[in-house]
Amino acid sequence: LKKMEKLYRAGIEMNGQIVVCPGWNDGEQLERTLSDLWERREGAQSVALVPVGLSGFREGLTPLEQYDAPRANAVLEQMERWQERCLKEGGTRFVFASDEFYLIAGRPLPAEETYEDYPQIENGVGMLRKFEMELEEALLEAPKGTQRGRVFTIPTGVSIAPWFREMTGRVGEHTGARFQIIPVPNDFFGRSIVVTGLIVGRDLIRALSGRIEGEALIIARTMLRENGDAFLDDMTLQEVQETLGLPIHPVWVDGEDFVKLVLSL
């Protein structure tokens, strides 16, 4: 807190992230943390709550657990109480939960306006709602039925697969395309890792071999390193493409870009 106050006095505004760990910094500890940050809201602009992600390689490390639905719901309920208070006292919800918390809890995503101006989108807060809104707007202008008979395979992280089936279902109804969504278990980092951005080349090959339908494979651009076309296991996009035997089209997590890609294939 002293360091935060020093930064604020220097004119630096902060947007923080709390990696919430069950039994460690949730519950009463999270209440204390949010209270401390809200008291310093002139410098702390917003806070994201993100569930801890645990790899399969934790031998000798502090025992930690992952969130299940009841515990995730408890965090969301606590956050919603804080949002009500902050909105009343300061005109902003201030604290936001990552999309992953809603997926774990089995809850629908909040309305778009609750994300305000998406201050925490780089921490995965509101990314799915924003994608949905972009997708719906793009479909309003997209021609109908032009992709009838076209089939595309899309690998995703395990957690997001049901939601993405719903999104591609809307695109399919409008364009006529059909989508096969394949959740990819993560053996490289461990099966407890369920997000799309950490899927690697060898896991793609293992999960998709013999299961691909259609003319092309669409993947999230976030699977690849920021610079270049390599996955996190150093396999290249070309290597995976040659192994699977069909073209791979990376696309950013952007609903409009996704619709445009489908219409262009």
Side-chain angles (χ1 to χ4, degrees), residues 92-111:
T92 174
R93 291 171 179 83
F94 183 67
V95 55
F96 306 88
S98 70
D99 299 343
E100 189 69 18
F101 259 123
Y102 291 95
L103 295 176
I104 295 170
R107 283 199 192 188
L109 298 170

Side-chain angles (χ1 to χ4, degrees), residues 21-71:
C21 305
W24 286 83
N25 63 339
D26 55 0
E28 292 183 7
Q29 291 301 322
L30 181 57
E31 196 75 13
R32 176 184 174 183
T33 299
L34 294 177
S35 178
D36 287 341
L37 293 174
W38 182 239
E39 289 176 2
R40 293 159 177 81
R41 56 188 176 274
E42 292 184 354
Q45 301 293 295
S46 68
V47 181
L49 306 181
V50 180
V52 63
L54 304 176
S55 76
F57 308 96
R58 294 188 47 78
E59 184 177 352
L61 299 179
T62 299
L64 293 174
E65 298 178 1
Q66 290 187 296
Y67 275 94
D68 55 15
R71 281 179 160 179

Side-chain angles (χ1 to χ4, degrees), residues 75-93:
V75 171
L76 292 175
E77 290 169 2
Q78 185 176 11
M79 177 209 69
E80 288 165 353
R81 290 193 296 271
W82 269 97
Q83 284 188 329
E84 291 178 8
R85 172 184 168 180
C86 296
L87 194 59
K88 182 178 179 180
E89 295 180 2
T92 174
R93 291 171 179 83

Side-chain angles (χ1 to χ4, degrees), residues 127-140:
M127 187 175 293
L128 299 187
R129 177 59 75 198
K130 188 171 185 290
F131 181 96
E132 181 179 5
M133 302 304 295
E134 293 164 344
L135 183 144
E136 292 292 348
E137 290 181 10
L139 288 178
L140 290 176

Side-chain angles (χ1 to χ4, degrees), residues 220-233:
R221 181 65 180 78
T222 53
M223 292 183 193
L224 303 174
R225 296 181 185 274
E226 185 174 357
N227 298 314
D229 63 351
F231 294 88
L232 292 179
D233 61 352

